[in-house]
Amino acid sequence: MALRKLAAEALGTAWLLAIVVGSGLMGEALSGGNSALALMANALATGAGLIVLISLFGPLSGAHFNPLVTLTFMMRGDIKPALAAAYMVAQFAGAVIGVGIAHAMFGEALMQSATRLRDGSGLMLSEAVATFGLIGTIFSCLRFKPDFTPTAIGLYITSAYWFTSSTAFANPAVTVARSLTDSFAGIALGSVPGFIAAQSAGAAMAFLVFGWLLKSSPPQISQESKTTPERMAS
């Protein structure tokens, strides 16, 4: 059973990176130099792909595809440390494989060195905010609307591509893998540590804030606001 979970995490993360990098390559090729169109294509493909992948792999492994998601679930006691560590290895390995698959589909060198620098305090704050929102979305949906979780995550990431200056990587495995593509989706290796540090800070803050928020009892409907047969008849 554990082996199937690890395979699901590796395959799902590989598929996700193939979507992210592949749609970036396609968008860049077809946009005629219009970065807004390329970003729109990249965002829509990633958001839609996430909905499908989480729906597909969620029943198998939880569809984390993100070491920080796995880490926060471990901290909540939802996954044992040994399995969490194995998940993270599978996610990083899958992410790298996914980049190679995307490159192969477009006739590119399988592994490259990204040259696109993504530095500055604004981008670091963006990664913290994006990751905070992602973890918060997951925790809240699992508590109140579990069936909506795949759609909510896909929609959130699509929006975060546009409201953050960093285009919302929000995932250390994705960040490391994207340093291996010198394409629209790439990030220079020197920018990776700052992104991962910011993502980790955002995840830690979300764990604390949403852990506190979601401990409270759901709002109670007052007696006056309840609809009863007697009230409906009056």
Side-chain angles (χ1 to χ4, degrees), residues 63-88:
H64 296 184
F65 310 148
N66 185 332
L68 291 175
V69 172
T70 298
L71 184 60
T72 52
F73 274 105
M74 186 192 75
M75 292 168 66
R76 289 187 355 154
D78 296 331
I79 181 172
K80 293 181 179 179
L83 184 57
Y87 263 39
M88 293 179 200

Side-chain angles (χ1 to χ4, degrees), residues 130-154:
T131 312
F132 177 90
L134 174 62
I135 300 298
T137 298
I138 294 169
F139 281 8
S140 296
C141 281
L142 288 177
R143 167 89 185 263
F144 299 117
K145 284 186 172 290
D147 291 342
F148 187 64
T149 302
T151 303
I153 294 171

Side-chain angles (χ1 to χ4, degrees), residues 4-6 8-13 16 49-67 69-70 73 79 87 91 134 138 142 149-150 153 171:
R4 290 178 183 172
K5 290 181 178 181
L6 296 179
E9 283 297 301
L11 179 57
T13 311
L16 173 60
L50 273 169
I51 294 172
V52 174
L53 292 176
I54 295 169
S55 299
L56 178 62
F57 292 106
L60 299 174
S61 68
H64 296 184
F65 310 148
N66 185 332
V69 172
T70 298
F73 274 105
I79 181 172
Y87 263 39
Q91 290 155 2
L134 174 62
I138 294 169
L142 288 177
T149 302
I153 294 171
N171 183 332

Side-chain angles (χ1 to χ4, degrees), residues 77-146:
D78 296 331
I79 181 172
K80 293 181 179 179
L83 184 57
Y87 263 39
M88 293 179 200
V89 172
Q91 290 155 2
F92 277 105
V96 172
I97 291 169
V99 171
I101 290 171
H103 286 162
M105 289 192 293
F106 286 86
E108 303 279 341
L110 294 186
M111 292 297 161
Q112 305 166 11
S113 180
T115 57
R116 185 187 294 260
L117 289 170
R118 299 179 188 260
D119 297 324
S121 58
L123 270 68
M124 300 305 106
L125 177 60
S126 291
E127 279 302 292
V129 169
T131 312
F132 177 90
L134 174 62
I135 300 298
T137 298
I138 294 169
F139 281 8
S140 296
C141 281
L142 288 177
R143 167 89 185 263
F144 299 117
K145 284 186 172 290

